[in-house]
Amino acid sequence: MNLPVPSLDPAISSRLRHTAEGLVPVVVQQHGSGEVLMLAWVDDEALARTLATGRATYWSRSRREYWVKGETSGHTQEVKEVRLDCDGDTLLFVVDQVDGACHTGDRTCFDADLVHRFDG
Amino acid sequence: MNLPVPSLDPAISSRLRHTAEGLVPVVVQQHGSGEVLMLAWVDDEALARTLATGRATYWSRSRREYWVKGETSGHTQEVKEVRLDCDGDTLLFVVDQVDGACHTGDRTCFDADLVHRFDG
């Protein structure tokens, strides 16, 4: 069965400033706690799929395919809010993350590697 | 007077996965509250300047110049932590933001534009 592919509202698409590859970075943040979970990328179709389903859906730049977060791991992201920044070139997804966001099992993709902490 | 330009520790640089333009995106988060303030970009020199000074310093892709956040507005970012994500292609700066991070005067660059809120 072929499901219809959702298309992005042109009024939203026209407000996005895409990269040359047609992508927009997405900061993904846990609802409530404010944790920054990860950075991912969407094209218009991934954003349309996210808006249609409420499940965070990204474009994998390495695999060159759509990727419903948690589809294989079960570590899904239920999207609460989608926000766009002041110059239209970055999205913010506020989500409810099931278990860890990181493929390593960590809660966030930024947990493991502290480059520098300033004193005071 | 020419100040010496700090260079980035090669052990750090080698862990970064830069874009073709030599850049890495930086998610900027308020210390304590967890607010996502903005997304910016650094090259190795901007990151070295940030680590040397404790003042968040970015590469402006539009102006093609280094940019000490708040240098003209006074809305500086004192950096508390620098983190790198699991695949080395995104940085997280945890900062103490003076006043608003956004050039519009808003606290964050994501305050003004709610694209969608899901019910429930």
Side-chain angles (χ1 to χ4, degrees):
Chain A
M1 186 175 80
N2 288 316
L3 292 172
V5 174
S7 62
L8 187 62
D9 181 344
I12 296 176
S13 179
S14 67
R15 286 151 59 201
L16 302 179
R17 280 177 51 196
H18 306 82
T19 67
E21 298 77 33
L23 302 176
V24 179
V26 183
V27 180
V28 189
Q29 182 184 37
Q30 172 62 42
H31 178 68
S33 74
E35 292 161 292
V36 174
L37 299 169
M38 54 187 277
L39 188 85
W41 295 80
V42 290
D43 63 2
D44 278 11
E45 185 176 331
L47 180 56
R49 291 183 185 209
T50 299
L51 292 171
T53 63
R55 283 286 178 87
T57 304
Y58 304 112
W59 174 253
S60 169
R61 294 177 303 163
S62 54
R63 298 193 305 273
R64 306 197 62 76
E65 62 182 19
Y66 294 104
W67 161 53
V68 179
K69 173 68 181 168
E71 197 169 40
T72 53
S73 67
H75 299 182
T76 51
Q77 294 175 341
E78 181 192 346
V79 182
K80 301 287 193 181
E81 284 182 10
V82 173
R83 291 184 170 274
L84 183 63
D85 79 344
C86 55
D87 56 5
D89 68 4
T90 306
L91 288 155
L92 176 67
F93 286 1
V94 180
V95 306
D96 196 9
Q97 170 72 54
V98 173
D99 296 330
C102 189
H103 72 285
T104 64
D106 283 344
R107 175 67 184 169
T108 92
C109 292
F110 299 95
D111 286 359
D113 196 346
L114 177 66
V115 175
H116 190 74
R117 179 174 285 144
F118 291 87
D119 294 329
Chain B
M1 183 175 81
N2 290 316
L3 292 172
V5 174
S7 63
L8 187 62
D9 181 344
I12 296 175
S13 178
S14 67
R15 285 154 59 202
L16 302 179
R17 280 176 54 194
H18 306 83
T19 66
E21 298 77 33
L23 302 176
V24 179
V26 184
V27 180
V28 189
Q29 182 183 37
Q30 172 62 43
H31 178 69
S33 74
E35 292 161 292
V36 174
L37 298 169
M38 54 189 276
L39 188 86
W41 295 81
V42 291
D43 63 4
D44 278 10
E45 185 176 332
L47 180 56
R49 291 183 186 209
T50 298
L51 292 171
T53 62
R55 284 285 179 89
T57 304
Y58 304 111
W59 174 254
S60 169
R61 294 177 302 165
S62 54
R63 299 193 304 273
R64 305 197 62 76
E65 62 183 17
Y66 294 104
W67 162 51
V68 179
K69 173 69 182 168
E71 196 169 41
T72 53
S73 67
H75 300 182
T76 52
Q77 294 175 342
E78 181 193 345
V79 182
K80 301 287 191 180
E81 284 183 10
V82 173
R83 292 184 170 273
L84 183 62
D85 79 345
C86 55
D87 56 4
D89 68 5
T90 307
L91 289 155
L92 176 68
F93 287 1
V94 180
V95 307
D96 197 9
Q97 169 72 54
V98 174
D99 296 330
C102 189
H103 73 284
T104 63
D106 283 343
R107 175 66 184 171
T108 93
C109 292
F110 298 96
D111 286 359
D113 195 347
L114 177 66
V115 175
H116 189 75
R117 179 175 284 145
F118 290 88
D119 293 330

